[in-house]
Amino acid sequence: TESTRAGLAAAATAAADLAERIRELQAAYYERDESLVSDAEYDGLMQQLEALERDFPEVAGQDSPTRRVGGGVSDLFTPVLHAERMYSLDNVFSLDEFREWAHKIERGIGLTPQYLCELKIDGLAMNLRYENGVLVSAATRGDGVTGEDVTMNIHYVSGIPSRLMGVGHPPLVEVRGEVFFPVREFAALNAHRAELGEKMFANPRNAASGSLRQKSEGKSADKLALMRDGLSRLRMLVHGIGAWPTPPVATQSEIYGLLGTWGLPISGNSKVVGSVEDVAEFIEHFGAERHSVEHEIDGIVIKVDTVAVQAELGSTSRAPRWAIAYKYPPEQVNTTLIDIHVGI
Ligand code: NAD
């Protein structure tokens, strides 16, 4: 009818506007290490677009931000093709939504899986490629297929082995994790930046991304020292693997154990639990403890632990079906309102 056609046209326009705004915010965030709006506001726009596409599936194009891994490859960096795709994560924003997700998984596979609960580290995703135990490249996630080559810089990040310890390294393994800026180091980096007249980073996440995604070419001695300062404060924690055809263990938690014996940095805060209620307890625990962790966290990631079940569940074009990010509600920011009177 006339009115449904008009409704559809209005939905298409609204979806196109939302997609355009989201792409602008992604370009600022992933390419220029800037947040033009808060993360909660960004998530809200994504949720609006998802809701529109649910109500009007006709308006969802293949290239909609809801179907792609946000991020790209800046011209500043050499593109690197990941051996295996990198994904984003789907989100839930309440325990009820998490329970709904878990029930769907449990209905799908016919049992209650072991859930691996991890902190969701607010940094940037990194893909380390090891060949026969030697680090040959480090790349950002980019669009998930192609990332940005940051190999030169990753060598300055402490805790990332250039050569794996131990034995039994496969010919090729991609180790995925998050590079982050420790919260207690953030003020010192900004102070150093201010000294040299550089723009300060708004938060540790942008500091992580901005520190890693730099080129040394053409920098003065002062700026080079600043760049090294940022890089040397960065840390990484492993949260997954990419290409590795036959890992010798059956679960993701055991994979972490193995990677730890090779000298890779694994988190001490992950936990395997056997029920949805235990996941809820983990979420609540770290909701209260989030400021006692060395890095910022924006939620909890819950994964099905068994690798064979992960393979059975598979992925969409944007995210695995076997994992979900529970996002904590945004924290109240204490802002001081300053009344500025402009004289005329
Ligand atoms: P995401 O950050 O919500 O989730 C996916 C990422 O989580 C993975 O790629 C991985 O790098 C990371 N991660 C951290 N800890 C992990 C763990 N333990 N296990 C697995 N993965 C872990 O999704 P996204 O697509 O990368 O980015 C979207 C988010 O980025 C938004 O929700 C928002 O918070 C932020 N963002 C903000 C703006 C802005 O303008 N403020 C713009 C773009 C994106």
Side-chain angles (χ1 to χ4, degrees):
T1 69
E2 196 69 25
S3 73
T4 37
R5 261 203 307 281
L8 186 60
T13 309
D17 289 351
L18 278 165
E20 189 187 325
R21 179 65 177 149
I22 289 168
R23 287 195 193 97
E24 259 169 41
L25 298 175
Q26 288 180 337
Y29 186 83
Y30 294 109
E31 286 161 42
R32 304 196 300 279
D33 312 310
E34 278 174 15
S35 301
L36 303 180
V37 299
S38 72
D39 289 349
E41 210 169 312
Y42 174 88
D43 288 341
L45 294 173
M46 274 294 242
Q47 282 175 277
Q48 276 182 48
L49 183 57
E50 277 164 13
L52 259 178
E53 292 179 350
R54 226 180 357 256
D55 294 345
F56 300 91
E58 304 91 325
V59 307
Q62 277 314 312
D63 64 345
S64 166
T66 61
R67 297 192 179 174
R68 300 179 69 111
V69 173
V73 177
S74 151
D75 313 337
L76 284 176
F77 300 92
T78 310
V80 180
L81 199 64
H82 305 310
E84 200 167 287
R85 272 209 57 173
M86 294 181 81
Y87 290 95
S88 181
L89 286 168
D90 284 335
N91 296 311
V92 289
F93 295 89
S94 69
L95 283 177
D96 279 349
E97 274 179 45
F98 167 70
R99 288 193 182 95
E100 219 174 278
W101 175 83
H103 290 147
K104 210 167 85 194
I105 293 281
E106 293 173 10
R107 273 199 307 277
I109 61 176
L111 55 93
T112 301
Q114 297 281 102
Y115 289 112
L116 173 58
C117 306
E118 300 176 21
L119 303 189
K120 185 166 188 297
I121 304 158
D122 202 4
L124 78 157
M126 188 54 40
N127 187 34
L128 304 177
R129 182 183 172 109
Y130 285 93
E131 292 178 10
N132 298 308
V134 178
L135 179 62
V136 295
S137 94
T140 64
R141 189 181 69 184
D143 64 4
V145 175
T146 309
E148 300 164 319
D149 187 354
V150 291
T151 314
M152 291 300 285
N153 289 350
I154 210 80
H155 291 295
Y156 292 95
V157 181
S158 48
I160 298 181
S162 304
R163 193 176 279 275
L164 298 177
M165 302 189 318
V167 289
H169 311 129
L172 168 67
V173 60
E174 288 181 307
V175 177
R176 269 97 191 249
E178 204 78 358
V179 169
F180 63 91
F181 211 92
V183 177
R184 62 169 181 278
E185 309 266 339
F186 178 59
L189 178 72
N190 264 347
H192 193 172
R193 290 181 71 83
E195 231 171 77
L196 297 184
E198 294 276 298
K199 211 170 78 183
M200 296 207 253
F201 288 118
N203 54 53
R205 192 270 163 201
N206 293 355
S209 182
S211 297
L212 199 64
R213 299 177 62 261
Q214 292 190 77
K215 290 273 184 182
S216 54
E217 286 90 16
K219 277 196 164 51
S220 64
D222 278 357
K223 299 268 168 81
L224 206 55
L226 175 62
M227 173 174 164
R228 300 272 158 80
D229 182 21
L231 286 170
S232 69
R233 293 177 196 270
L234 290 172
R235 292 292 179 274
M236 179 170 166
L237 283 172
V238 166
H239 55 55
I241 52 161
W244 190 1
T246 48
V249 289
T251 62
Q252 180 137 351
S253 51
E254 289 170 295
I255 288 175
Y256 293 164
L258 186 56
L259 296 178
T261 67
W262 291 350
L264 286 157
I266 53 170
S267 171
N269 290 319
S270 306
K271 189 175 178 188
V272 179
V273 302
S275 75
V276 166
E277 287 322 301
D278 289 344
V279 174
E281 202 173 291
F282 186 93
I283 289 173
E284 271 159 23
H285 173 76
F286 278 103
E289 291 291 316
R290 59 194 287 192
H291 296 297
S292 56
V293 181
E294 62 171 331
H295 50 76
E296 289 207 315
I297 65 178
D298 58 341
I300 297 296
V301 186
I302 304 103
K303 302 171 181 175
V304 171
D305 197 27
T306 304
V307 175
V309 180
Q310 294 179 355
E312 181 188 332
L313 290 166
S315 301
T316 67
S317 57
R318 204 187 83 89
R321 290 195 192 86
W322 46 266
I324 196 85
Y326 168 92
K327 292 262 176 111
Y328 287 117
E331 295 186 293
Q332 211 62 44
V333 182
N334 293 316
T335 49
T336 315
L337 290 179
I338 306 168
D339 212 4
I340 301 173
H341 298 278
V342 184
I344 22 171

